[in-house]
Amino acid sequence: MAWGSLLLLLGLLAAPGRGDPGPLEDVVIDRYFIPKVCLREAQMGDFIRYHYNGTFKDGQKFDSSYDRGATVAGVVGVGRLITGMDRGLQGMCVNERRHLIVPPHLGYGSIGVAGMIPPDATLYFDVIMLDIWNKEDKLQITTLHKPERCNRTVENSDFVRYHYNGTLLDGTHFDSRYRDTYDTYVGTGWLIKGMDEGLLGMCAGEKRRIIIPPFLAYGEKGYGTVIPPQASLVFDVLLVDLHNPKDGISLEHLEVPASCKRKAVTGDFVRYHYNGTLMDGMLFDSSYSRNHTYDTYIGKGYVIPGMDQGLQGVCVGEKRRIIVPPHLGYGENGAGNKIPGSAVLIFDIHVIDFHNPLDSVEIETLSRPEGCNVTTQERDFVRYHYNCSLLDGTNNSPATADWYEVGGGPRQVIDGLNTGLLNMCVGEKRVIIIPPHLGHGENGARGVPGSAVLRFEVELLSREEGVPEGYLFIWHGDPPANLYEDMDLNKDGEIPPEEFSTFIKAQLTEGKGRLMPSSDPETVIADMFQNQDRNQDGKITAEELKLKSDEDQERIHEEL
């Protein structure tokens, strides 16, 4: 007979023998170790698992579950054990240790067990309780931590990623998943029933303790060598994230500008900052850390599908949260070593600006003087105040531009600003929005990032009618018939710089001509002299003046 069956022979062997059983004694119980926390005590009808050593009074061992390498499992208090053991096990807590002394009439009586336990033997048991459950038990769930923000909880058919520690009820560790996550569907039979139920209603970031009775776990068979038959299981679970294969992206509008004249659509080029995190808050990427926006076309497949969708309809300056399920992110394979497979991604974005490659300059007139009938034209010279900034308001730089030739060449300003300065009245104020292909392009400029949309606030201070391209001075009427003689003030047959300057200034004073507008007229006059002085000998001869005049006439004729 196997020793493991000794305690189950009450019906056959515990009947009174013919001899005198001796004085009637009850079982003696010594609770020599009681755990500080006792959530439950074994009661009649409970199913229990325990280890024991059985000896006689002299210390000789007659049985041990340890020696067999398997715990004893059974129902307590219903006559399936010897009476002394039935009584001695009741009221025990998990991990409690007891010494039990069982008198013969509560053990194997006057018959004993042939070759194993002599008649009228008092039995000594050293017992540790490992597990207690009842067929009426339900799943026990304790919430250890729940995040303040929980927009969604686990439902059947969701796919979840979680960490866990798994122990038996006595604290024996059998499994852990913290190096990576355990990834599975809920409510589809991929998990034991107790875990399927225990994960329902969890939030991402929530921690739970789930105690699962054996009939909702691995039951009578157990699992391998780590989970014995009829074992209650304890799982400490941290839910990392969840999604459903039917999910689309989820949007949260964190900050929307009061004024939004335009929203991004497919084909627009967007510049934005972002922080990218997993659902447990782990940061996997940030444009802020690189101090550079992420720049891309949307709706063209240059980014993951979830971002392509999530950027649709954004306003300049908007902040929004885009939650991307894995099938619209990096899928089952993840990306690099920071985005695991099947991970839900959260992007907190701030849109700096966007434009379309087909955009033209956008002009908004803030104020325009009444009765304005003269406006800036190509080749006019203008002075203006301006503030230049990016669309998010950064890089603001107030300044005054001094005598810029509108539409002149080579360009002194970006094409978009040149366009925005046309058809302005003196005193008019404008806002000019310039897309990058009419600004500083993909490469940007000092203080201007690549592909940036620019915003100019402009006030036109003054305007002067321009001169034809390549000219520094033009006559308001016909020039003097004897130009050289009039210019040669001391009549010595040559014109030095001083005489040339004096003559030109006199024409300006008398209103007979005008210079190209400049903050330094002396420099313009000096340039005019250099153009006339072909021999570069510091004086203008009649021959030189005639050649230059003939060339000018020919050039004007060609232009006409």
Side-chain angles (χ1 to χ4, degrees), residues 330-441:
Y330 293 100
E332 296 181 359
N333 297 323
N337 58 3
K338 291 188 175 182
I339 300 179
S342 300
V344 177
L345 308 179
I346 300 177
F347 292 92
D348 284 342
I349 68 163
H350 178 203
V351 179
I352 304 302
D353 68 28
F354 63 86
H355 73 280
N356 193 283
L358 301 178
D359 285 349
S360 56
V361 174
E362 179 184 340
I363 298 174
E364 178 186 359
T365 300
L366 303 180
S367 65
R368 187 180 179 97
E370 294 183 5
C372 170
N373 52 20
V374 178
T375 61
T376 53
Q377 303 298 318
E378 291 278 353
R379 303 201 180 282
D380 282 355
F381 284 83
V382 295
R383 294 179 67 248
Y384 57 94
H385 282 314
Y386 70 88
N387 283 326
C388 177
S389 65
L390 305 180
L391 286 195
D392 65 349
T394 57
N395 293 12
N396 190 36
S397 55
T400 299
D402 223 357
W403 296 121
Y404 160 67
E405 182 183 5
V406 180
R411 284 280 190 262
Q412 297 170 291
V413 297
I414 55 178
D415 289 345
L417 182 56
N418 187 79
T419 300
L421 289 170
L422 287 171
N423 302 310
M424 284 190 78
C425 300
V426 173
E428 182 177 341
K429 295 181 180 180
R430 285 182 175 182
V431 172
I432 305 171
I433 306 297
I434 302 174
H437 49 278
L438 297 175
H440 292 290

Side-chain angles (χ1 to χ4, degrees), residues 370-547:
E370 294 183 5
C372 170
N373 52 20
V374 178
T375 61
T376 53
Q377 303 298 318
E378 291 278 353
R379 303 201 180 282
D380 282 355
F381 284 83
V382 295
R383 294 179 67 248
Y384 57 94
H385 282 314
Y386 70 88
N387 283 326
C388 177
S389 65
L390 305 180
L391 286 195
D392 65 349
T394 57
N395 293 12
N396 190 36
S397 55
T400 299
D402 223 357
W403 296 121
Y404 160 67
E405 182 183 5
V406 180
R411 284 280 190 262
Q412 297 170 291
V413 297
I414 55 178
D415 289 345
L417 182 56
N418 187 79
T419 300
L421 289 170
L422 287 171
N423 302 310
M424 284 190 78
C425 300
V426 173
E428 182 177 341
K429 295 181 180 180
R430 285 182 175 182
V431 172
I432 305 171
I433 306 297
I434 302 174
H437 49 278
L438 297 175
H440 292 290
E442 295 181 1
N443 297 324
R446 184 177 180 181
V448 179
S451 300
V453 179
L454 301 179
R455 183 181 189 274
F456 282 86
E457 293 184 12
V458 176
E459 179 183 5
L460 187 63
L461 301 179
S462 58
R463 166 196 169 275
E464 288 195 19
E465 187 177 346
V467 297
E469 184 176 1
Y471 288 83
L472 301 177
F473 176 91
I474 61 172
W475 295 97
H476 289 163
D478 293 329
N482 300 310
L483 179 59
Y484 190 82
E485 289 76 4
D486 290 352
M487 197 177 292
D488 183 10
L489 301 179
N490 61 6
K491 310 303 180 184
D492 62 355
E494 58 185 33
I495 304 170
E498 295 79 11
E499 281 186 339
F500 183 82
S501 177
T502 300
F503 175 79
I504 293 297
K505 289 178 181 178
Q507 308 312 303
L508 297 174
T509 302
E510 296 172 9
K512 295 180 179 179
R514 69 177 184 275
L515 282 176
M516 180 187 78
S518 171
S519 58
D520 186 7
E522 294 286 354
T523 300
V524 177
I525 295 173
D527 289 343
M528 290 175 62
F529 182 85
Q530 292 294 327
N531 289 341
Q532 299 285 345
D533 183 12
R534 287 174 168 264
N535 297 327
Q536 301 296 304
D537 57 0
K539 59 188 178 184
I540 300 172
T541 65
E543 179 72 18
E544 287 175 328
L545 187 63
K546 183 178 184 304
L547 286 173

